[in-house]
Amino acid sequence: MSKYGRKYTHAVIATDVVVFTIKDEKLQALLIKMKKPEFRGYWAVPGGLVKGEEGLETAAFRHLSEKTGMRGVYIEQLQTFGDPKRDPFGRVVSVAYIALVSWDKHELKTSEQYGGVAWFPIAGLPKLAYDHEEIVRMAATRLKAKIEYTNIVRGLLPRRFTLTELQRAYEIILGKVIDKRNFRKKILETKIIKEVKGKISSGAHRPARMYRFVVDKPQAVEML
Amino acid sequence: MSKYGRKYTHAVIATDVVVFTIKDEKLQALLIKMKKPEFRGYWAVPGGLVKGEEGLETAAFRHLSEKTGMRGVYIEQLQTFGDPKRDPFGRVVSVAYIALVSWDKHELKTSEQYGGVAWFPIAGLPKLAYDHEEIVRMAATRLKAKIEYTNIVRGLLPRRFTLTELQRAYEIILGKVIDKRNFRKKILETKIIKEVKGKISSGAHRPARMYRFVVDKPQAVEML
DNA sequence: GGCGTTGGTGTATATAATACACTCAATATG
DNA sequence: CATATTGAGTGTATTATATACACCAACGCC
């Protein structure tokens, strides 16, 4: 038993993961539908309690896998939310994480205890349980900030992608159009991506060159 | 009793506050000397467990006040540390905060349970308990990053200060010398500071104009 | 083979960042 | 009280970076 076992009414620790993707030309977040009668009609960010000797990230991965079927994604810590009243049923402190995925790489399936799992555009979220709306908003803000000085966008794209796809990701997250020539100049200067053999024909037009990220770990980069 | 009361061996929540100041031309952190025999010779970042219905920031302020005598400082969340082995005596998840203070504004006094409280230069820390060395390192890194695009530096300075003092704060945190004319041009362009009446004579030279921060809340700013 | 569609490229201009040296006003000194 | 010393305060020229902008290429489709 912990040395710290009995002095206080303790809070419980949970993790929540805000999973973003770009789908239908929109930034979307992954939500699960709550089944408990107290939360009828509400959705939530996938997450749950941290077990005894389990690390925070481990717990985040476990709940993500159990509740959405997702595995093998990168997560990074967003912020910890600890308002004593954030959960009406007890004192839960939640460590929130962000993940970015290419939505077509993951088959979604949730467990019995939830009513479904689905993508929702950031502009157009359903009713969210607890303080999850605040969490998602903060995650979107952080994403928007970090895309300008890190290679965080890599999570959203498949291993091989075109410059136009990459540019669309930036445009959607930043919410503004970017000049094609300037974008290409800058992104190639950073050296975070690299051309790879092969072209892709995706319609009645000239085929596009393919690129990949040079490093797939997070790193800070001067950009845009 | 919490609905979440009995399912797991729960972790306990703590907060730790890395307090920075600039003193003797160096970036320094506030540490308390541990008294418990298990930690003889070790120092630690001021912090402690969060009580039942207490908010995270409230707990951080309370421990800071109890263990160092400091009150009325700004804190902002750094990151949450939750490695199951970070505390050898039990599972403690720590939410770490950063605070920046003007050291001469606070009289230091610690409680009976600690052996003392003192400032230590970042380069030259004593042995730190738990994972507090990692916490302090990360706090310093974050500070260095944020000083470039926020008004975070305001906490380090007295209400009224000279441009040279402000520049020294930037130089010490960034670890590089800055051109005086360019610094003044840029910092005044941002409009985060404003000249105030009165000059200060501090030696055998022309007296300096005084400035103050326009807003004393955190804000993002384009800078340096 | 002509049309529609997206891929791919360079240059000129404007803005921002950097490098750089002297005078000013106070105190200290002989 | 004349002179030296010290940090305060100021502007411009140069370089680097960011922005604005238009046409041809390669494919599919009819």
Side-chain angles (χ1 to χ4, degrees):
Chain A
M1 185 62 201
S2 162
K3 181 174 180 183
Y4 304 109
R6 309 239 173 260
K7 278 187 271 187
Y8 300 107
T9 302
H10 291 312
V12 171
I13 313 220
T15 59
D16 289 299
V17 183
V18 181
V19 185
F20 286 118
T21 200
I22 289 181
K23 194 175 167 228
D24 303 334
E25 300 277 294
K26 280 176 285 200
L27 183 63
Q28 310 216 13
L30 189 63
L31 301 174
I32 55 181
K33 186 172 191 171
M34 307 218 58
K35 220 171 173 178
K36 301 180 198 163
E38 308 94 304
F39 283 111
R40 183 187 306 284
Y42 281 79
W43 294 71
V45 167
L49 302 184
V50 177
K51 284 190 189 167
E53 288 303 300
E54 186 182 41
L56 296 175
E57 293 206 357
T58 307
F61 285 130
R62 177 171 59 82
H63 286 291
L64 193 57
S65 166
E66 285 174 11
K67 283 154 192 164
T68 72
M70 279 199 179
R71 307 202 55 185
V73 304
Y74 275 103
I75 64 175
E76 68 175 63
Q77 216 185 95
L78 170 65
Q79 179 148 14
T80 297
F81 295 82
D83 183 334
K85 300 205 180 70
R86 60 178 292 281
D87 184 331
F89 300 108
R91 180 73 198 279
V92 180
V93 171
S94 170
V95 184
Y97 288 82
I98 297 185
L100 273 64
V101 306
S102 177
W103 64 274
D104 52 359
K105 289 276 141 54
H106 299 272
E107 192 182 348
L108 303 179
K109 54 180 148 193
T110 190
S111 65
E112 263 302 306
Q113 26 167 344
Y114 294 95
V117 55
W119 294 108
F120 286 87
I122 291 303
L125 293 174
K127 279 277 188 193
L128 296 188
Y130 314 111
D131 55 357
H132 285 192
E133 170 142 0
E134 185 188 356
I135 294 177
V136 174
R137 296 270 162 245
M138 186 171 294
T141 302
R142 178 76 61 90
L143 171 59
K144 196 167 166 176
K146 289 201 84 169
I147 200 178
E148 303 233 33
Y149 64 92
T150 71
N151 63 349
I152 194 176
V153 72
R154 76 199 181 289
L156 290 171
L157 297 170
R159 248 220 309 289
R160 295 155 28 93
F161 53 87
T162 70
L163 290 181
T164 301
E165 287 166 352
L166 181 61
Q167 184 176 340
R168 282 302 292 144
Y170 275 87
E171 289 179 333
I172 289 164
I173 291 168
L174 294 173
K176 67 178 185 192
V177 297
I178 303 172
D179 178 85
K180 202 208 299 190
R181 282 179 286 193
N182 294 338
F183 176 79
R184 287 168 181 235
K185 205 186 309 170
K186 279 246 280 277
I187 206 80
L188 290 171
E189 267 170 12
T190 65
K191 300 280 172 54
I192 62 169
I193 61 169
K194 174 181 173 180
E195 191 176 348
V196 75
K197 258 201 276 283
K199 299 193 176 189
I200 187 164
S201 265
S202 61
H205 55 85
R206 178 174 177 173
R209 296 179 184 174
M210 305 294 290
Y211 292 80
R212 67 171 178 83
F213 284 93
V214 176
V215 296
D216 68 339
K217 300 286 174 190
Q219 68 174 355
V221 182
E222 192 72 21
M223 214 178 319
L224 299 194
Chain B
M1 185 59 202
S2 162
K3 180 176 181 181
Y4 304 108
R6 307 242 175 257
K7 276 187 275 187
Y8 301 107
T9 303
H10 291 311
V12 171
I13 312 220
T15 59
D16 288 299
V17 183
V18 180
V19 185
F20 286 117
T21 199
I22 288 181
K23 192 174 169 226
D24 304 332
E25 301 276 295
K26 278 176 286 201
L27 182 63
Q28 310 215 14
L30 189 63
L31 300 175
I32 55 179
K33 186 172 193 172
M34 307 220 59
K35 220 172 176 178
K36 299 179 200 165
E38 307 95 305
F39 284 110
R40 183 187 305 282
Y42 281 79
W43 293 71
V45 167
L49 301 184
V50 177
K51 282 190 190 167
E53 289 301 301
E54 186 183 42
L56 295 175
E57 292 206 357
T58 308
F61 285 129
R62 178 171 58 82
H63 286 291
L64 193 57
S65 166
E66 286 174 9
K67 284 155 191 163
T68 72
M70 280 200 178
R71 307 202 53 185
V73 304
Y74 275 103
I75 64 176
E76 70 176 61
Q77 217 186 94
L78 170 65
Q79 178 148 15
T80 296
F81 295 81
D83 183 334
K85 302 204 180 70
R86 61 179 290 282
D87 184 331
F89 301 108
R91 180 73 196 278
V92 181
V93 171
S94 170
V95 183
Y97 288 82
I98 296 184
L100 274 65
V101 306
S102 178
W103 65 273
D104 52 0
K105 289 278 142 52
H106 299 270
E107 192 181 349
L108 302 180
K109 55 179 147 192
T110 191
S111 64
E112 262 304 305
Q113 26 169 343
Y114 294 95
V117 55
W119 294 107
F120 286 88
I122 291 303
L125 293 174
K127 278 276 188 194
L128 296 188
Y130 315 110
D131 54 358
H132 285 192
E133 171 144 358
E134 184 189 356
I135 294 177
V136 174
R137 296 272 164 243
M138 187 172 296
T141 302
R142 177 76 61 90
L143 170 59
K144 195 167 166 175
K146 290 200 83 168
I147 200 178
E148 302 233 33
Y149 64 94
T150 71
N151 63 348
I152 194 175
V153 72
R154 76 199 181 289
L156 291 171
L157 298 169
R159 247 219 310 288
R160 293 155 27 95
F161 52 87
T162 70
L163 290 182
T164 301
E165 287 166 351
L166 182 61
Q167 182 176 342
R168 282 303 292 145
Y170 275 87
E171 289 179 332
I172 289 163
I173 290 168
L174 294 174
K176 66 178 187 193
V177 298
I178 302 173
D179 179 85
K180 201 207 300 191
R181 281 179 288 192
N182 294 338
F183 176 79
R184 285 166 183 237
K185 205 186 308 170
K186 279 246 280 279
I187 206 78
L188 291 170
E189 267 170 13
T190 66
K191 300 282 173 52
I192 63 169
I193 60 170
K194 176 181 171 178
E195 190 176 349
V196 74
K197 257 201 278 281
K199 298 194 180 192
I200 187 164
S201 263
S202 60
H205 56 86
R206 179 175 177 174
R209 296 178 184 173
M210 304 294 288
Y211 292 80
R212 67 169 177 84
F213 284 93
V214 175
V215 296
D216 68 340
K217 300 287 175 188
Q219 68 174 357
V221 181
E222 192 72 21
M223 212 178 320
L224 302 195

